[in-house]
Amino acid sequence: IGVTGVQTCALPIWSVAVDRAFASVGTEIRLHPDVTGSVGLAWGGDWYRFKGDSDLALAPGAQPWTNAQAITALGFANWQLDRQWSLNLGLRLGFAGEPQANLGDSFTVGGNAAVSYAFSEKLSLGGGVLLSSQIEDSILAIPIVIVYWQVTDSVVVSNVLGPEAYPTGAGLEIAWRPDRVSEISIGSRYEVRRFRLDDTGPEIRRNGVGEDSGLPLWLRATWRFPNGIRMDLVGGVSLFNQYRLDDSNGGRIATADLDPAPFIAGFLSWRF
C-alpha cells in the first residue's frame, strides 16, 4: 500500500519525493435495528526525501522534516431516522508527528455530523460538518457533502467509493461500473496533513509543526472479487501543493509552493 511522487519548487531549485503508506482495521457493530456503527484503527506513514535548499531548510543541508507517522482511532454511527432521512455521527482521536516527537503534543480530536435524504434507491443527498482540533492551530471546519447518485445502471457519482485503507475526506468521484467486478473512476479532494516535529535541527524548528497540503486529481481502477478481496490502482497529479513550517507555538516560519506532482498508488483490502 503506498503513494509515491515528486514535487519541485521553481525558486530556489529544490525537489522532494514522498512515499506514503496506509493501513487500517475495523469492524461493524449493530447497535439497534435502526442504528449501525463501526470502530477502527488507521495508520498512515509519510517519508520525505528533500534535495537542495529552500526557505524550509533554515540552514544549508538541513531537512525541514524526514518522516511523519499518524495513528487514528475511529468511531462512526449511522441512524436510519425513517425511510428517507438518516443521521451520521463520527469521532476521531489521533496522533501525528515525527517518530521522536512528543506524543502529548501530537494529539488531535475531531468529530463529524451529517444528515442525508434518500429521494429514491438511486439518489441520496446530504450535508454536514467535520470539526477537528489541529496541532498548534485553530479549529479546522470542513463542510461535508454527501452524494450518491446512480445516474445510469453503470455510472455512479459519489464521495464514498474510494479504497477503505485510504483516509477518507471531503471529495467526489464519478465511477463507471461495466460489470459487478470492475470499476473505473475519476475524482478529487482537498488534503492536509499537519504533524509535530522532533527536537532536532535548527533551534527555531525544534518541536515545531510541519504541514503538507494539496489537491490530488486521480484516475482509479478497482476490482471487487466474490471472496471479499478488493484491489485498487490509483494514479494522478497533485495540484496546488504547499509545505508549511511553524515553530512550537504555531507561528509561521516559512512556506513553499510546489509544482504539480504526479503520483501512483496501490491498495488491497479484505472484507469478511
Side-chain angles (χ1 to χ4, degrees), residues 4-42:
T4 61
V6 177
Q7 301 175 324
T8 61
C9 183
L11 292 172
I13 299 300
W14 65 287
S15 66
V16 56
V18 187
D19 296 320
R20 307 193 195 277
F22 311 94
S24 67
V25 60
T27 184
E28 295 183 352
I29 304 171
R30 173 68 66 174
L31 303 173
H32 183 272
D34 297 324
V35 182
T36 58
S38 64
V39 293
L41 192 65

Side-chain angles (χ1 to χ4, degrees), residues 2-264:
V3 179
T4 61
V6 177
Q7 301 175 324
T8 61
C9 183
L11 292 172
I13 299 300
W14 65 287
S15 66
V16 56
V18 187
D19 296 320
R20 307 193 195 277
F22 311 94
S24 67
V25 60
T27 184
E28 295 183 352
I29 304 171
R30 173 68 66 174
L31 303 173
H32 183 272
D34 297 324
V35 182
T36 58
S38 64
V39 293
L41 192 65
W43 164 81
D46 304 305
W47 292 265
Y48 297 83
R49 301 186 301 280
F50 291 89
K51 293 183 179 180
D53 293 326
S54 71
D55 292 339
L56 294 172
L58 304 181
Q63 300 290 303
W65 52 76
T66 54
N67 72 86
Q69 308 293 311
I71 297 178
T72 306
L74 307 166
F76 298 99
N78 186 78
W79 184 9
Q80 193 66 42
L81 302 176
D82 56 30
R83 290 186 177 182
Q84 284 79 40
W85 289 99
S86 62
L87 171 66
N88 182 270
L89 301 174
L91 178 65
R92 307 164 186 263
L93 306 174
F95 298 87
E98 290 190 294
Q100 302 303 317
N102 185 290
L103 191 63
D105 293 334
S106 308
F107 176 74
T108 58
V109 58
N112 65 270
V115 294
S116 62
Y117 182 83
F119 295 89
S120 66
E121 292 183 356
K122 296 184 177 181
L123 177 62
S124 295
L125 299 174
V129 64
L130 183 150
L131 299 174
S132 177
S133 64
Q134 297 190 93
I135 300 173
E136 302 299 344
D137 205 350
S138 57
I139 297 294
L140 177 68
I142 300 178
I144 297 175
V145 178
I146 299 175
V147 178
Y148 185 86
W149 179 22
Q150 188 171 337
V151 184
T152 69
D153 290 341
S154 59
V155 177
V156 176
V157 178
S158 182
N159 51 3
V160 293
L161 300 177
E164 295 183 19
Y166 191 36
T168 56
L172 193 65
E173 283 187 303
I174 301 175
W176 174 52
R177 295 171 171 172
D179 51 51
R180 294 185 177 183
V181 175
S182 56
E183 177 177 293
I184 298 175
S185 75
I186 184 172
S188 182
R189 72 176 187 181
Y190 175 71
E191 294 183 351
V192 58
R193 297 173 174 84
R194 192 167 173 85
F195 44 88
R196 179 69 67 178
L197 305 180
D198 60 24
D199 60 358
T200 62
E203 184 175 358
I204 191 173
R205 63 81 74 193
R206 295 176 185 173
N207 301 309
V209 184
E211 185 176 289
D212 174 352
S213 61
L215 183 74
L217 175 66
W218 66 79
L219 182 67
R220 174 174 59 85
T222 298
W223 295 268
R224 296 180 177 88
F225 301 102
N227 58 6
I229 291 178
R230 168 176 171 164
M231 295 177 59
D232 294 88
L233 294 178
V234 183
V237 59
S238 184
L239 308 172
F240 309 109
N241 305 293
Q242 185 181 77
Y243 285 178
R244 172 175 163 178
L245 180 63
D246 291 353
D247 62 26
S248 59
N249 296 313
R252 185 173 303 185
I253 300 174
T255 60
D257 295 322
L258 299 100
D259 294 337
F263 64 87
I264 186 169

